[in-house]
Amino acid sequence: MSDDAETDGGTAIEVTPEDGNLVDRLVAAKDGERFVAVAAFVGVFAMPFVLIDVLGVFDTLIGLSLGGFVGLPTLILSFGIVAVGYNLLLGYTGLLSFGHAALFGSAAYAAGIFSNNVVASPLLAVVVGIAVATLLSWPIGFLSIRRSGVYFAVLTLTFGQMLYFYAFGPGSWLTNGDDGYTPFDVAGGPDLLGFLAMDASITTLFRDITGLTLTLTDGLDMTVGYMLAGLVGVLAIVVAHRIIKSPYGLILKAIGQNEQRVAFVGLNVFRYKLMAFILSGVFAGAGGALYALSKAGLTVHPDATLYWVVSGDFVIITAVGGVGSLAGPLIGAVVFEYIRLVVQGITVPGTEFQIGSLWRLLLGVVFVVVVTLFPDGIYGGLSSLGDRLVERFGAATDADTDDRRPVEEVEETGGDD
Amino acid sequence: MVDIAGILLTGLQQGAIFALLGLGLTIILGTMEFLNLAHGALYLVGAYMGLFIVREVSVQEGLLAGIAGDPTAVGLGSSFLVALILTPILMFVIGVAMERFVARPLYDRTEVEQLLLTFGLALIIEELAREFVGSQPFSSYAPDKLLGFTVGGQADVPLVGLYPRWRFVVIGLAFLLIGLSYLIIERTDFGLIVKAGTRDSEMVRMLGIDITRSYALVFGVGAALAGLAGLVGGTIIDVAPGIGTNNALVPAFLTVVIGGAGSVVGAIAGGIILGMVAAVFQFQAPQWSQIVLFGFVAVFLLVRPGGLFGSVEVGE
């Protein structure tokens, strides 16, 4: 809860001190929508460069294969988008769902099935994925939200597992069961708007248009597919930011902190919780569809999309990155996918020792350490460090910083419920 | 007719293991209001313990294969009876240690944080198992003889026909253990303190009773029960790192949900109901059995949120 938004009868007010030095102004701007959009854009499109090229330097320098591979950023984005939405539920509304794999997986399958049976259009596939996940999150949310705490978690888990076992067994005619489903099974791969091949890179496009040859590093040489995923990602981040900063988002946050009091004020808690669930379903749908796109011509398997362990992965991503913040889940997605897909391939230099299957163990340890030491996740830890730096270098007086008491603190002194 | 009796027996046998699992989970949940997602990992540890006590197996992958060298046979190759005595003792110690170092710092944290941390712990234990003995499944280790009696092979039972002898032993053993735990909780002073602690732990403390010690004991008993479930389960299914979550954690939670959190009778009833439902559909429509099982639990949760015997909902 390090946001600077204060409440005034339900309206969010941005604190924008015109005075103060550069540090203060930066701090004030950091919650503005334009800032978030620009930061998201830069972050999303710089990510491949950082992961593949910058970290790849270690490969050549000391033979430590820290660099990512070309498909990694897309996977990070698809999981990151789901986590951003999931965080609306866990981080703000305080509902721990163990069934988001159902929404993610259904969207992935829906997008895939649509692409093979109707039209192999990536844009429409994303729309279909979102639509299916949203429609599915409605009944699942409607039923699950009737119970709270562990019972909510178990209910979402049961719905997710039902879908998983359906996709595995009786639904094989639709999902191809254990063999996996191949989305976008079209010759030459899918294309965007009928002429941009999804796997065409910037350099190819540049050459085709201008006739000149452009040389870029692997990370900068993005594919059309990644650009689409990136744009969806930026859009998702901006939408999530808008939701979080709106009065609606504040109510969700209030429900997470004290459900009873929100009900006392006369608000329909059930409806808000349901909307939070559905909203997170929209994000899960977008992420799932992008996942299906990244697997174009490959296979989508129930184990990697619908299984409850995938739901657990979303929980880990969100909690490790930091619940209750916009950047947290994205950081979590980067860390998670990096450990899952890159660290496991690392061989310790000078020895034969490979990390290999240790990655899950490493992930578990990272997860436990982060949850124990930084309940607000990596982002929470970083931002409290940042706050200290701002306090040190900002011109704002101490009184100002004291005013921004964490909401939880107020809560504790507010009496028992 | 023959089929029905067989199905019911299988259901009873599965249900007995579910009940053992659910019992361990529910006493920890009821007493300390602590949600242990690592319960399935304790089952896993129990199953491996049984494997290495009862058998001498050839470990092909993992660190243990490297340590054992050649030949890679690891294990005591002792009798099932030894495992039956050693496993609960070792698991009890592990449970007490877990209470001290994992659960105690978490009592004051939120439910979500408890779930997250024990989930992480479960992940770590499962992966450690995978590191040490590899992902290879070891075949189940049902003994042929126990206390001089032949327990292997098939028995010709009236109404049922040929049925594996060992499954009868499993049913008997599980219900013996369940009965014992029931007596400990319902008939001893220790059980009384534990039950009082569920209602009002502060009051118990004011009466001069060291409730933290009871907590450690409860956790130990819960872990021992999970370990025993693992030991018994490992005689029926293959032992592999994945069984902790798939074959133990999820059924244990479903059992507790059906029976009602904190209820001993509920865990027993819930386990048997769950086992029966699973068995019937495994015979009739194997593809649909898991779907029906989860659907059943979902409907149950929605219609009777407190479970069969639960008085309070956790987290309400």
Side-chain angles (χ1 to χ4, degrees):
Chain A
M1 313 300 137
S2 58
D3 308 66
D4 297 330
E6 289 171 5
T7 55
D8 170 24
T11 332
I13 296 173
E14 298 292 327
V15 184
T16 46
E18 292 303 322
D19 50 342
N21 62 14
L22 184 69
V23 177
D24 284 330
R25 270 201 299 235
L26 267 178
V27 169
K30 117 180 141 63
D31 286 329
E33 186 168 295
R34 213 175 304 158
F35 178 84
V36 169
V38 171
F41 194 85
V42 172
V44 162
F45 288 99
M47 180 167 68
F49 177 70
V50 174
L51 285 177
I52 297 171
D53 296 327
V54 176
L55 287 172
V57 168
F58 289 96
D59 276 351
T60 39
L61 279 185
I62 53 172
L64 193 61
S65 44
L66 291 179
F69 53 93
V70 175
L72 178 70
T74 318
L75 282 172
I76 290 179
L77 267 182
S78 67
F79 279 84
I81 291 170
V82 183
V84 165
Y86 185 77
N87 185 38
L88 288 176
L89 202 61
L90 176 64
Y92 289 89
T93 323
L95 291 169
L96 178 69
S97 157
F98 260 105
H100 263 55
L103 307 173
F104 173 78
S106 306
Y109 274 102
I113 291 164
F114 178 83
S115 71
N116 286 340
N117 294 307
V118 187
V119 56
S121 154
L123 278 178
L124 284 178
V126 172
V127 173
V128 167
I130 292 176
V132 167
T134 311
L135 288 178
L136 191 66
S137 61
W138 207 299
I140 292 181
F142 184 79
L143 292 171
S144 306
I145 285 162
R146 285 160 193 279
R147 304 285 164 257
S148 61
V150 195
Y151 288 74
F152 172 78
V154 172
L155 265 175
T156 50
L157 174 83
T158 57
F159 291 124
Q161 286 296 86
M162 280 161 79
L163 274 173
Y164 166 75
F165 284 110
Y166 181 78
F168 225 103
S172 290
W173 57 276
L174 194 64
T175 62
N176 208 16
D178 198 13
D179 294 333
Y181 189 83
T182 306
F184 296 95
D185 199 6
V186 286
D191 46 29
L192 195 62
L193 304 171
F195 66 96
L196 283 172
M198 289 294 277
D199 54 2
S201 63
I202 302 179
T203 43
T204 327
L205 288 177
F206 190 77
R207 197 194 55 219
D208 288 352
I209 296 167
T210 62
L212 299 168
T213 311
L214 186 71
T215 317
L216 286 174
T217 59
D218 283 348
L220 284 177
D221 190 11
M222 284 171 258
T223 60
V224 173
Y226 184 72
M227 291 206 251
L228 175 68
L231 288 178
V232 174
V234 172
L235 190 69
I237 293 168
V238 171
V239 169
H241 177 259
R242 192 167 269 203
I243 294 171
I244 290 166
K245 291 296 167 201
S246 70
Y248 207 91
L250 280 173
I251 293 172
L252 296 185
K253 205 188 265 187
I255 290 175
Q257 289 182 357
N258 194 328
E259 198 179 316
Q260 236 168 356
R261 287 191 199 177
V262 175
F264 284 159
V265 180
L267 294 168
N268 186 346
V269 172
F270 180 84
R271 217 192 68 195
Y272 281 99
K273 278 182 168 180
L274 180 58
M275 274 320 285
F277 196 89
I278 294 169
L279 282 172
S280 72
V282 174
F283 286 87
L290 288 181
Y291 178 83
L293 255 176
S294 76
K295 296 282 174 193
L298 306 169
T299 52
V300 173
H301 192 271
D303 277 350
T305 50
L306 289 164
Y307 197 36
W308 76 275
V309 170
V310 179
S311 300
D313 289 346
F314 295 141
V315 178
I316 295 177
I317 288 174
T318 312
V320 164
V323 289
S325 63
L326 187 58
L330 295 164
I331 295 174
V334 174
V335 172
F336 181 89
E337 293 296 309
Y338 187 78
I339 292 181
R340 183 165 82 104
L341 297 167
V342 179
V343 174
Q344 67 148 320
I346 292 177
T347 309
V348 178
T351 64
E352 295 280 291
F353 185 71
Q354 249 196 321
I355 304 279
S357 61
L358 267 175
W359 76 269
R360 266 213 175 259
L361 182 61
L362 190 72
L363 189 75
V365 173
V366 167
F367 178 67
V368 169
V369 167
V370 167
V371 175
T372 318
L373 299 182
F374 312 102
D376 291 330
I378 296 174
Y379 181 74
L382 287 178
S383 71
S384 69
L385 187 76
D387 281 352
R388 241 175 279 163
L389 288 178
V390 168
E391 231 171 273
R392 179 105 167 66
F393 297 107
T397 55
D398 285 343
D400 266 3
T401 37
D402 277 348
D403 256 358
R404 276 189 256 126
R405 220 148 52 109
V407 188
E408 292 102 315
E409 231 174 273
V410 182
E411 181 56 43
E412 270 166 21
T413 51
D416 52 355
D417 18 301
Chain B
M1 190 60 217
V2 169
D3 268 5
I4 293 174
I7 291 168
L8 289 182
L9 262 182
T10 307
L12 196 64
Q13 173 259 310
Q14 281 181 356
I17 295 178
F18 290 165
L20 266 183
L21 274 168
L23 194 60
L25 189 66
T26 211
I27 57 171
I28 294 173
L29 186 62
T31 317
M32 283 157 271
E33 280 169 27
F34 183 79
L35 286 155
N36 190 14
L37 282 189
H39 201 69
L42 294 171
Y43 171 96
L44 180 70
V45 175
Y48 273 114
M49 233 177 235
L51 177 75
F52 288 118
I53 293 174
V54 176
R55 281 271 170 84
E56 237 181 298
V57 285
S58 146
V59 180
Q60 308 288 349
E61 316 164 26
L63 292 174
L64 217 54
I67 296 166
D70 197 55
T72 52
V74 186
L76 300 176
S78 186
S79 80
F80 188 75
L81 206 62
V82 176
L84 206 54
I85 296 164
L86 272 183
T87 307
I89 296 174
L90 290 173
M91 291 307 294
F92 182 84
V93 174
I94 291 176
V96 171
M98 225 174 122
E99 195 275 339
R100 178 66 194 83
F101 298 108
V102 179
R104 204 174 289 177
L106 289 176
Y107 289 146
D108 295 332
R109 306 278 285 265
T110 62
E111 203 172 63
V112 170
E113 279 175 317
Q114 291 179 354
L115 283 175
L116 291 180
L117 268 176
T118 49
F119 179 62
L121 187 69
L123 209 64
I124 291 177
I125 294 176
E126 183 178 327
E127 291 314 312
L128 276 177
R130 195 159 299 179
E131 266 330 294
F132 276 99
V133 294
S135 308
Q136 58 176 353
F138 294 99
S139 57
S140 55
Y141 46 83
D144 282 334
K145 277 191 182 305
L146 188 66
L147 288 171
F149 294 99
T150 308
V151 291
Q154 308 255 328
D156 196 6
V157 188
L159 282 182
V160 185
L162 284 177
Y163 199 76
R165 276 199 193 90
W166 179 248
R167 298 213 169 193
F168 288 106
V169 182
V170 166
I171 295 171
L173 202 60
F175 278 101
L176 188 74
L177 291 166
I178 290 166
L180 261 175
S181 341
Y182 180 79
L183 285 180
I184 290 175
I185 291 166
E186 296 292 329
R187 293 277 184 271
T188 63
D189 284 354
F190 166 67
L192 198 65
I193 294 168
V194 167
K195 272 166 64 187
T198 343
R199 300 277 166 81
D200 191 342
S201 57
E202 211 156 311
M203 192 63 212
V204 175
R205 213 171 274 136
M206 269 184 227
L207 290 170
I209 294 162
D210 183 6
I211 195 139
T212 28
R213 211 181 56 192
S214 311
Y215 281 177
L217 287 176
V218 170
F219 222 103
V221 172
L225 283 171
L228 281 167
L231 173 67
V232 175
T235 62
I236 290 173
I237 55 165
D238 289 354
V239 182
I243 61 170
T245 36
N246 298 335
N247 297 39
L249 179 65
V250 174
F253 254 90
L254 300 186
T255 299
V256 171
V257 161
I258 291 179
S263 163
V264 175
V265 184
I268 300 165
I272 292 168
I273 293 174
L274 206 63
M276 291 288 179
V277 172
V280 168
F281 278 92
Q282 272 159 15
F283 269 84
Q284 297 304 321
Q287 285 208 316
W288 289 90
S289 74
Q290 293 285 332
I291 300 170
V292 172
L293 197 67
F294 281 102
F296 174 74
V297 173
V299 170
F300 205 91
L301 255 176
L302 288 166
V303 178
R304 245 200 105 98
L308 283 175
F309 297 93
S311 47
V312 275
E313 260 191 77
V314 174
E316 290 279 294

